[in-house]
């Protein structure tokens, strides 16, 4: 078996570091409440399954070997985040209220889930992270390397969902506080839109 406990500590440290996933969950939870944040957390965690399969099956090495393929996926993900930011800013401009109830939310929960899944899948840095990070905790002499990587990936996905969900619950409480003020929803949507656009620009830039 791989070093699961050591891997878990490292994975939690990396997940807590500010990045597109947890910032997206934070802003979505603030704008629409804890349910929306939890749905976004579930979406990003589900997207990690895609990167897990790529890493285990070896397709991630193709992205690493061909820079053009990597950059194409990178820019597609960046463009998608900018598009989400633009849509959110339009919601703020038209005065749509970002209430915490699913029936009143300006973005349906199902759409939030699939937006989060797609945003995660279109981030090639996650794939490269998996192929660089997982093998460091695998015992190659023990054999069954794909199975060991799968176990580690499942541990990573589980801890990521727990951390993202905690962020969603916290941000939902913050959002509920601000939504009690009349004009707060417009400002929350503007904040979320700018955050999504900023994440897209950050993804498009070189390291």
């Amino acid at each position: 078996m791989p070093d699961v406990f050591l891997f878990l500590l490292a994975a939690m440290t990396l997940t807590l570091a500010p990045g597109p996933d947890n910032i997206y969950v934070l802003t979505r939870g603030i704008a629409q409440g804890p349910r929306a944040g939890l749905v976004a957390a579930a979406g990003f965690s589900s997207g990690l399954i895609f990167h897990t399969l790529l890493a285990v099956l070896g397709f991630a090495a193709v992205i690493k070997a061909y820079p053009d393929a990597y950059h194409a996926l990178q820019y597609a993900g960046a463009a998608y985040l900018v598009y989400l930011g633009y849509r959110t800013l339009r919601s703020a401009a038209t005065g749509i209220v970002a209430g915490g109830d699913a029936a009143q939310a300006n973005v349906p929960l199902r759409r939030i889930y699939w937006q989060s899944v797609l945003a995660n899948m279109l981030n090639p840095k996650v794939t490269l992270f998996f192929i660089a990070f997982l093998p460091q905790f695998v015992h190659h002499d023990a054999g069954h390397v794909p199975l060991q990587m799968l176990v580690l990936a499942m541990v990573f996905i589980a801890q990521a969902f727990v951390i993202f969900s905690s962020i969603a619950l916290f941000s939902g409480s913050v959002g509920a506080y601000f939504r009690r003020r009349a004009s707060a929803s417009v400002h929350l949507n503007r904040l979320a839109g700018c955050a999504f656009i900023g994440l897209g620009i950050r993804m498009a830039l070189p390291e």
Side-chain angles (χ1 to χ4, degrees), residues 66-184:
Y66 296 96
D68 291 340
Y70 170 81
H71 291 304
L73 191 59
Q74 177 183 10
Y75 295 140
Y80 185 67
L81 285 175
V82 172
Y83 167 75
L84 292 182
Y86 168 74
R87 289 290 301 271
T88 306
L89 288 176
R90 283 193 60 186
S91 297
T94 54
I96 298 177
V97 178
D101 186 86
Q104 299 176 348
N106 60 323
V107 180
L109 296 181
R110 180 179 299 181
R111 185 183 301 174
I112 291 175
Y113 175 80
W114 288 112
Q115 284 178 348
S116 303
V117 171
L118 186 58
N120 186 275
M121 291 173 60
L122 289 176
N123 188 351
K125 296 179 181 180
V126 179
T127 301
L128 296 181
F129 162 77
F130 264 58
I131 64 173
F133 188 63
L134 296 185
Q136 298 183 43
F137 297 87
V138 170
H139 292 167
H140 294 274
D141 296 337
H144 304 288
V145 172
L147 180 59
Q148 292 187 62
M149 292 181 64
L150 185 61
V151 170
L152 292 174
M154 292 301 102
V155 171
F156 189 94
I157 292 172
Q159 64 84 30
F161 178 71
V162 171
I163 291 177
F164 289 160
S165 297
S166 301
I167 293 174
L169 293 174
F170 168 77
S171 62
S173 301
V174 175
Y177 172 79
F178 284 107
R179 280 193 300 274
R180 286 196 288 266
R181 283 140 179 85
S183 62

Side-chain angles (χ1 to χ4, degrees), residues 3-30:
D3 296 321
V4 175
F5 181 71
L6 180 61
F7 174 81
L8 178 61
L9 292 178
M12 291 176 63
T13 302
L14 291 169
T15 304
L16 287 169
D21 291 4
N22 46 26
I23 293 178
Y24 187 104
V25 172
L26 178 66
T27 54
R28 183 59 70 189
I30 291 175

